[in-house]
Every structure is written in C-alpha cells, then in structure tokens.
Amino acid sequence: MYGEVAIAVNSAFNYLILSFADKVCRRPAGKRRLLAAAVAGAFPVVLFGGAIVPAAAAFMAMTVIAFGLHRNAALKGAGATLTAALFAGGLLTVVNPSGFGIGGTAAVFTSCLFASGGLHLLAVRWRGAEDDAAAADFRVETEIELFGKNIPISAFADSGNACTEPLSGAPVHFISYRAVKEQLPREIRAALENLPKDGVPDLSVFPAEFRSALRPIRLQTVGGSAWAVGFRVSSWAFRGPENVRLGGYIVFTENAAEYPLGADAILHRSSLIHLKERGSTDADRS
C-alpha cells in the first residue's frame, strides 16, 4: 500500500513539473503523454530510492516520453524540467506545510497547491522574459527631423500597426507627444493642445506654412474610432551605418504608457521589412 501511495505522490509532483516545462517550451505534449512521463519517472525513484543512478534514469525517462528524442525539444524540455524541479524543491523547503502544523494527506495536497501556484507564477515570468527578448529585436534607435530640428527617438516596430493615411495609403507612425513636446514650435504645441477631443480636426488652427503637410487621420481603436492630425514625415532614419529612411505620416499621442520596452514611437508594420534586412546584414557581417 505504501508503494502505491509513494508512486502516486511522486507522479503528481512530476506532472506539475512537466506541465510547467510543457508551457514554457510552447510545444504541447498532451495531458496523457505528460501523465505517462510523470508515472514513468516515479517508478525508478520509488523502487530504487533517491540514489544518483535511479534519479538520472527517472529524469531521462520523463523528458524522453514527454518531449521526444528531437535534440532541441529534448534539451529545452530537460532544462525547463530541471529548473522547475529545483524551484519547486526550494519553494517547499521554505514554505513547508509541516511548519504550519499540517500533516498526512493534507500536507501532500497543500504541497501540491504551493508547488502548482509557484510554478504558475514562474511560467508567467519565464514567458514574459522570452517575449521581451523577442520584442527587443523590433526596437530601434532613430533620428527624425521635426520642424527643422533633428531629434533622437527610440522606436518600436509594431506588426499590429496597420494605420494608413486614407488618400495616399502612406503608413502612419505614432510618437509620444511628451517625448518631443519641448522640441516643437510654440504655435504647434498650442494648436495640438487646444484641439477638440471629438470630431474631424480643424487644420486651420495650425500656422499656414505647415498646413500643406497636415492630414486628418481616422484611427480605429478597440474602444471605437477617433480623429487625429497627421504630420507628413520630412526625414526619419534609423541610426547606424544602414541608410534606412522612413516615410509617411506621424501622429502625436498624449499617453505613451502602452509603448513597449520604453519606446517613444510606434512604427508602422511596413518598417519590419527594414529590421529584417538589417538583421540579415548583421548576421552576414558576423
């Protein structure tokens, strides 16, 4: 009876650990496969104890059954499984149910609950870190000319930004007003800050010498639609040896809280092709 209970408890913890690895590796193995791997990993440890050889055999059995024999998948799965095992073990050492006066079956369930919650939080942080690392490839340093001044701008190329100027179809980019406010002419700042929040913007409030470069831009958002003033780009380039220049229109936004990675501008998705070309060039140079 004790052996069956020990196998069940070990299988439960193995399943939690493998579920974490399955999530962060983004290669769904299926619940049945994970369960089979968890049980297979429990048998050597229960039957032969926690010596190095049985533990290594259990670990190999779990990772092979759960993630297969493909080299990259197996290595990534093994790394995530080992990380989860160390994390869960450390967590239950610090937050031990026996320290709260819990014993027996209740202690097993409480330990599973603590391990499950901790691994869930770790998985969220893990995937968030991976997403940030991937997003960093779409962040670029640029320099834009605004009303005769060259201003450095950190920009993020957003594949979800498909906004275009309706007449020409030119791409529309977004720049945080806060980031460039002090560089803009006083007349432009006054006109922008006094524009009505609703309706088509009145371009006549802007100085006459700038009106030819202005267009009303209709924006589609999750909350509905709105109008904004688009300024035609005169000169905007990536900073670096590449001679990559951006065109289209820019819209100044009041709130930059949603800009990823601390960027001050959101580029149109058409700029992604330039980043891919730049990445290929960097790879060729290395």
Side-chain angles (χ1 to χ4, degrees):
M1 182 66 181
Y2 172 78
E4 289 85 344
V5 173
I7 290 175
V9 172
N10 274 272
S11 297
F13 277 97
N14 288 345
Y15 185 81
L16 291 176
I17 291 168
L18 290 169
S19 295
F20 165 85
D22 187 56
K23 288 179 182 178
V24 300
C25 290
R26 305 176 194 253
R27 295 175 181 268
K31 293 182 179 180
R32 291 184 179 179
R33 189 170 176 178
L34 293 179
L35 182 59
V39 174
F43 268 99
V45 174
V46 173
L47 295 178
F48 303 105
I52 294 178
V53 174
F59 183 78
M60 290 181 62
M62 286 197 306
T63 54
V64 169
I65 294 174
F67 306 107
L69 294 173
H70 188 275
R71 183 173 178 271
N72 290 338
L75 288 177
K76 190 172 183 180
T81 302
L82 182 60
T83 300
L86 294 174
F87 176 83
L91 177 64
L92 294 178
T93 299
V94 176
V95 189
N96 195 319
S98 62
F100 300 95
I102 303 174
T105 304
V108 174
F109 282 109
T110 304
S111 296
C112 287
L113 183 63
F114 285 164
S116 178
L119 289 173
H120 173 72
L121 294 177
L122 180 61
V124 171
R125 295 295 298 272
W126 183 305
R127 297 182 70 169
E130 286 187 335
D131 291 342
D132 287 345
D137 293 335
F138 300 106
R139 191 175 187 273
V140 62
E141 298 301 321
T142 68
E143 186 171 274
I144 187 171
E145 181 184 334
L146 287 176
F147 307 103
K149 295 183 179 180
N150 292 326
I151 305 173
I153 292 284
S154 295
F156 180 82
D158 186 0
S159 60
N161 176 19
C163 185
T164 57
E165 196 277 319
L167 295 179
S168 64
V172 174
H173 316 278
F174 299 90
I175 294 181
S176 166
Y177 179 64
R178 171 189 51 79
V180 298
K181 176 180 178 180
E182 299 304 322
Q183 307 292 332
L184 301 179
R186 184 181 305 172
E187 300 88 346
I188 297 295
R189 295 203 307 264
L192 285 171
E193 292 171 4
N194 291 317
L195 280 175
K197 300 296 182 182
D198 300 319
V200 181
D202 181 10
L203 302 184
S204 65
V205 300
F206 290 88
E209 62 267 29
F210 299 122
R211 290 176 196 165
S212 61
L214 305 182
R215 293 289 186 276
I217 306 289
R218 189 171 181 83
L219 307 177
Q220 296 293 334
T221 64
V222 176
S225 61
W227 286 92
V229 177
F231 294 77
R232 187 166 60 240
V233 174
S234 57
S235 177
W236 196 357
F238 289 179
R239 301 179 73 179
E242 305 88 354
N243 187 25
V244 176
R245 296 189 174 276
L246 301 171
Y249 290 81
I250 59 172
V251 168
F252 296 111
T253 61
E254 291 182 317
N255 188 358
E258 300 300 324
Y259 285 13
L261 302 179
D264 291 320
I266 295 291
L267 302 180
H268 186 267
R269 65 183 182 184
S270 60
S271 62
L272 288 170
I273 186 64
H274 300 304
L275 292 180
K276 291 178 180 178
E277 290 174 352
R278 188 182 66 162
S280 299
T281 303
D282 292 342
D284 293 339
R285 288 173 181 167
S286 61

